[in-house]
Amino acid sequence: MKKQLLAIYWLLAIPFCLSAQNPNSDSAVIRRMFDEALLRGKAHPMLGELCKTAPGRVSGSANAQKAVEWGYKTMSDLGFDTVFLQPCMVPHWVRGDAEEAKIIGKRVKEKVNICALGGSIGTGKKGIKAQVIEVKSIEEVEKLGRDKVEGKIVFYSRPMDARKIYTFAAYGSCVDQRVWGAKEAAKHGAVGVIVRSMNLSQDKHPHTGTLVYDDSVQKIPAAAISTEDADKLSLLLQSEPELQFYFRQTCETLPDVLSYNVVGEIRGTEFPQEYVITGGHLDAWDNGEGAHDDGAGCVHSIEAVRIFKALGIRPKRTIRAVLFMNEENGLKGALQYARQADSLQEKHIAAIESDRGGFTPRGFHLEGDSGKIELVRQWVKLFEPYGLHDFANGGGGADISPLKKSQKGILLAGFVPDSQRYFDFHHANTDRFENVNKRELELGAASIAAFMYLLTQHGY
Amino acid sequence: MKKQLLAIYWLLAIPFCLSAQNPNSDSAVIRRMFDEALLRGKAHPMLGELCKTAPGRVSGSANAQKAVEWGYKTMSDLGFDTVFLQPCMVPHWVRGDAEEAKIIGKRVKEKVNICALGGSIGTGKKGIKAQVIEVKSIEEVEKLGRDKVEGKIVFYSRPMDARKIYTFAAYGSCVDQRVWGAKEAAKHGAVGVIVRSMNLSQDKHPHTGTLVYDDSVQKIPAAAISTEDADKLSLLLQSEPELQFYFRQTCETLPDVLSYNVVGEIRGTEFPQEYVITGGHLDAWDNGEGAHDDGAGCVHSIEAVRIFKALGIRPKRTIRAVLFMNEENGLKGALQYARQADSLQEKHIAAIESDRGGFTPRGFHLEGDSGKIELVRQWVKLFEPYGLHDFANGGGGADISPLKKSQKGILLAGFVPDSQRYFDFHHANTDRFENVNKRELELGAASIAAFMYLLTQHGY
């Protein structure tokens, strides 16, 4: 009886031992990837280099070009099989002088913190002074109509909804004010637009971000105001509805500039013509260092590929780190990448994007064929020891989205780090290297490497 | 057929509708608790008050007394049913002058950042200068023996293991050097001890923490050195093993002082004699503001009870926020609380502790009867929308641990926030209010309120 029990014990134990001891099991490889990232990781120093040598690398700027050179040199020095540039023409918007703004009332004259929205026109050198009308939505502007709006500065003040646990959901339901607010206000004769910053904190930092004009509508200047100053303005308007606002910004859009995506790859051993890519965007708004947005995504991607190399893992399929240019205001790099993949008939089976910051990893949001996604979800248990649980359906990301069109059946995966702090930094001068935690960044890179590994080895 | 299908549809839909629409369903109440914390939360301003009016509130200090008064006033002002103090005698250790330390070699004489370990004796006013011997463990000291150790300063340099995803596991397997290092080195004739700070970052900040002497062994002074300086010292020792180290600290232990736990409660409506408590510790090391450790746990607890009151939820069982005194170096408050609960025959069915910082909530570690814990795990799905997935077996926490002895069948639950950044701040001068994120703190308070709610309403 004792012997029988022992035999049963060993029979039960064998599969466990095999998986625990097999250095090539998925779980063992993933463990080594995390160890590499946490013990010998390069993500953090790489991010420091990028942020300090090329801060504020908005498309078309000298620092964007420095960032391209940095990406090319970094991946070349790491010894990736191939590193190349993909040329594309990008918009070139410049901020000009530091912005000025004041609330001007009967009893108050107070400076406030604003910054021009990306792509906005300037106010002219003298600035604009006009009465302010506060609204909570674009719909409210439409309801008010020309009678109430003409000649005024429209102040969009709807805050992000703090109740939403996933802060990108709060952003998504608020950012229409910033993107289309100027265009809609202009239709009703507004002369300028001020938007409450997309930020869940009360602070002094204005948060920029792109706006979209309509060529058939008069362009009017638009700026973001810090959340503290937005609340102050709202309060003052309650006691003095005729309050005036002054702002001056000299931003402008110059002719398009030649720029580049930077791509580094390791060739696949079995299916080199099939691609699994991971990317972030290299451009960043000019007012910060682009640390979380999206230096983190760039170094996540480079580091994920570096981890394969450091561990001597030859992927079955070709893997790429793609540093996209011009995500913030045009997506020209992303469109160029998809076009080239199409024309070269590069079969992309999966694309991962990291553009939600360098925080503790929580999962990947998945977009693609629902049956195939269920197969991917079988890998979830491999990620649980590392704290990743969120593999919901959801958008992959802006830069990989153009691949959907021509790459039939592709899986798009958006890396999801913890979102609580992201909007403290997003598009603001607080988005600095010092506000990225080394371990959190490293765990993100390892998570992406692990997901790439599963995709390259098992296909999709 | 169509009608039948419709009938089936409605039958299937009813439970969902009821739960979605019933404002008293568990999920609806929990949603309201999170909304209250995120929209009208008091955790963040309360933490600011505590940190700024009573920073460095080490047991027995004037600021610890200020913290007691703050806790009493805060919970009284919030209108809790009862607020009371529980007296207990606590140790009174004082740091004295700012510490000084130098590495002294043939070619180097370099100042380094140290701080005395809590409870350490001083060096005398002249300080101690001796040759350094570096070890990676207490076992190594034992192996080296008196021959190699006598008359020297033992430098414990084993770092926390960065590979451990849950950083408390890395701490747990490293902190023996700090707690027992001095006692063990003294057995072999060492004259002092320097310990590499318990910190996963490379930085300039020494991290204090308690040590434990043995009355039968000579007491020797011990200090923590910043991780950067620890690495520097290791490097210098490689080229010059005879290197000397000088340090001076004038800390000492004064006679015990009367102090207090602060308890605030809301009486239960159905089982007032049964208790569900949540606590953090009010004392904090003197070199920081005690923001994450453990101001966060204190305000988590107060806020959790406040949320019941704000939403008009009368708990079936009595709920308490307990601000424990002297967790860091004695646990005298925790022992007093358990003793009093025992002598008053207060039946505690569950105790929650928050002492792992004010970061994004990830779950609760559970300690208690395994069958009952499985029942608690059925609630996990209620927490998933808020990002909590980790309900593993594990320690509840130091302050609630004495309840295990007399409170038969109690559930101990340790609140588990994300652990990646905790040791950047733990016991260091970086543990400041400014390093606590408002949303992360609020989500923690709401998570604890929700867990308390389930325990008070459904029992355990």
Side-chain angles (χ1 to χ4, degrees), chain B residues 226-299:
Chain B
S226 76
T227 49
E228 272 187 16
D229 285 336
D231 290 351
K232 186 186 293 174
L233 180 54
S234 291
L235 202 67
L236 290 170
L237 279 167
Q238 283 174 25
S239 58
E240 189 183 342
E242 304 78 22
L243 211 64
Q244 293 210 309
F245 194 86
Y246 165 82
F247 73 116
R248 178 183 187 277
Q249 55 191 35
T250 62
C251 46
E252 58 182 322
T253 299
L254 305 176
D256 284 2
V257 167
L258 178 65
S259 190
Y260 307 90
N261 297 325
V262 189
V263 184
E265 72 178 30
I266 295 182
R267 292 301 281 176
T269 52
E270 292 189 25
F271 312 103
Q273 75 289 7
E274 292 189 10
Y275 294 82
V276 173
I277 71 165
T278 179
H281 65 85
L282 202 46
D283 62 310
W285 285 111
D286 59 309
N287 53 344
E289 291 178 359
H292 282 292
D293 185 16
D294 183 26
C298 292
V299 302

Side-chain angles (χ1 to χ4, degrees), chain B residues 94-136:
Chain B
V94 293
R95 185 170 298 278
D97 306 338
E99 298 85 344
E100 291 172 39
K102 277 178 220 159
I103 299 171
I104 304 164
K106 283 175 201 150
R107 287 172 301 275
V108 290
K109 188 166 179 180
E110 196 151 352
K111 282 194 180 181
V112 289
N113 291 337
I114 66 157
C115 67
L117 295 186
S120 175
I121 63 166
T123 55
K125 292 208 169 173
K126 290 192 172 167
I128 288 176
K129 185 173 144 186
Q131 194 181 323
V132 184
I133 182 155
E134 178 175 356
V135 296
K136 293 288 177 203

Side-chain angles (χ1 to χ4, degrees), chain B residues 28 102 144 158 281 365:
Chain B
K102 277 178 220 159
L144 289 170
R158 185 169 88 255
H281 65 85
H365 283 176

Side-chain angles (χ1 to χ4, degrees), chain B residues 129-163:
Chain B
K129 185 173 144 186
Q131 194 181 323
V132 184
I133 182 155
E134 178 175 356
V135 296
K136 293 288 177 203
S137 67
I138 287 173
E139 295 69 39
E140 199 179 336
V141 174
E142 283 164 5
K143 271 191 204 154
L144 289 170
R146 185 165 283 268
D147 262 13
K148 298 277 173 61
V149 170
E150 190 164 31
K152 292 183 185 154
I153 292 171
V154 172
F155 167 39
Y156 289 97
S157 69
R158 185 169 88 255
M160 283 172 69
D161 185 349
R163 292 170 301 179

Side-chain angles (χ1 to χ4, degrees), chain A residues 31 162-163 362 387 420 439, chain B residues 31 162-163 362 387 420 439:
Chain A
R31 180 68 257 184
R163 292 171 301 180
R362 304 301 299 262
Q420 299 312 321
R439 274 182 72 81
Chain B
R31 180 67 257 183
R163 292 170 301 179
R362 304 300 299 263
Q420 299 312 322
R439 274 181 72 81

